Amino acid sequence: MVKQTAGRDSLGEFAPKFAELNDDVLFGEVWSREDKLSLKMRSIVTVTALVSKGITDSSLSFHISEARKNGVTREEMAEILTHAAFYAGWSNAWAAFRYAKEVYAEDITEGEHGGIFGQGEPNVNFAQYFIGNSCLKPLTAGASVFIANVTFEPGCRNNWHIHHATKGGGQILICVEGMGWYQEEGKAAQSLKPGDVVVIAPGVKHWHGAKKDSWFSHLAVECPGEDTANEWLEAVGDEEYSEL
């Protein structure tokens, strides 16, 4: 591995011993033990530890960059931070994603959508409830809280629908790429952009999707509850949609 000099470059005169320990011991003796733990695994452990402690400064950006160099893919980093969010704190994960998006920006190929989480596969199982094409990428399959990244092509939207539950339930949308719409029955449509969060209470009739000239992706977080079920209703017609 490349010999680290960051300690000496930054603190060589002020704290020479600390610089030595940083460059020669931590990044020398410890990180060089690839026969015990690969560089990729060490990067994953390091990023997770920093996020868990709420350290979301330039050091985290550096280690995310190192993780990319050490073979952690964009999809893997997104999954690592999504998983860590439930243990390290949602706000810590959000802060980490800001750096991860910058580090992995060039890995998003032209024509690919879905933001840092990726576009996923055609949403064939629910296609009958959508106008236009959508893609689905489950992120926490098998976990107690189901999260998926849903990507809508321009003009795509889902039907009016209701999330039912006798206790708890509902859904949270976290917008990650592009521009979209969210509307509840009897209310004006709400314009959505990356970073917007929509909390949908159970029993509320609503729909969401992309604007006509933009791709749009959001995380769909299914809130745990009792007797949960989705009721799919009528489509959002072209005339109704075009008036937005």
Side-chain angles (χ1 to χ4, degrees):
M1 62 179 294
V2 177
K3 181 175 175 58
Q4 181 61 257
T5 63
R8 289 183 172 86
D9 292 342
S10 300
L11 297 170
E13 295 183 4
F14 185 81
K17 189 60 180 180
F18 181 91
E20 175 191 341
L21 293 172
N22 181 85
D23 295 349
D24 300 342
V25 179
L26 174 57
F27 287 101
E29 297 177 17
V30 176
W31 277 80
S32 66
R33 298 170 63 197
E34 296 181 55
D35 59 322
K36 305 297 183 183
L37 198 65
S38 69
L39 291 177
K40 179 177 181 178
M41 285 302 301
R42 289 184 188 277
S43 285
I44 292 172
V45 171
T46 303
V47 169
T48 304
L50 292 174
V51 174
S52 299
K53 292 180 68 64
I55 300 175
T56 52
D57 56 15
S58 59
S59 62
L60 177 61
S61 179
F62 168 80
H63 280 289
I64 291 177
S65 295
E66 289 299 298
R68 180 174 176 269
K69 294 177 184 177
N70 291 333
V72 179
T73 67
R74 177 170 60 87
E75 291 79 8
E76 288 172 333
M77 181 58 69
E79 185 66 18
I80 289 164
L81 297 180
T82 300
H83 185 84
F86 290 90
Y87 298 91
W90 210 253
S91 59
N92 289 350
W94 265 111
F97 273 123
R98 177 167 61 88
Y99 290 115
K101 287 180 66 176
E102 294 175 356
V103 170
Y104 285 91
E106 64 185 63
D107 292 354
I108 300 177
T109 59
E110 185 177 357
E112 183 181 359
H113 302 279
I116 191 172
F117 297 97
Q119 186 168 314
E121 301 298 328
N123 192 11
V124 294
N125 291 336
F126 292 89
Q128 60 183 313
Y129 306 120
F130 285 71
I131 298 294
N133 297 312
S134 67
C135 291
L136 183 70
K137 185 170 185 180
L139 301 177
T140 59
S144 59
V145 177
F146 178 73
I147 303 175
N149 193 32
V150 185
T151 298
F152 304 77
E153 70 176 0
C156 177
R157 65 273 187 189
N158 53 31
N159 291 4
W160 288 95
H161 57 286
I162 301 172
H163 303 291
H164 292 290
T166 57
K167 183 178 180 181
Q171 188 179 60
I172 298 173
L173 307 180
I174 303 173
C175 306
V176 297
E177 184 189 52
M179 301 291 292
W181 293 110
Y182 169 78
Q183 185 174 22
E184 296 182 358
E185 186 178 39
K187 297 182 180 180
Q190 175 185 344
S191 180
L192 300 176
K193 64 183 185 305
D196 286 342
V197 177
V198 178
V199 179
I200 307 169
V204 174
K205 183 178 178 180
H206 65 284
W207 69 270
H208 36 101
K211 292 191 174 182
K212 63 182 179 181
D213 56 355
S214 175
W215 286 80
F216 177 62
S217 298
H218 64 58
L219 299 184
V221 183
E222 301 296 333
C223 302
E226 297 180 4
D227 301 317
T228 58
N230 288 346
E231 180 183 5
W232 290 99
L233 303 168
E234 72 275 14
V236 179
D238 290 340
E239 182 177 353
E240 179 183 7
Y241 178 78
S242 65
E243 292 178 354
L244 298 176

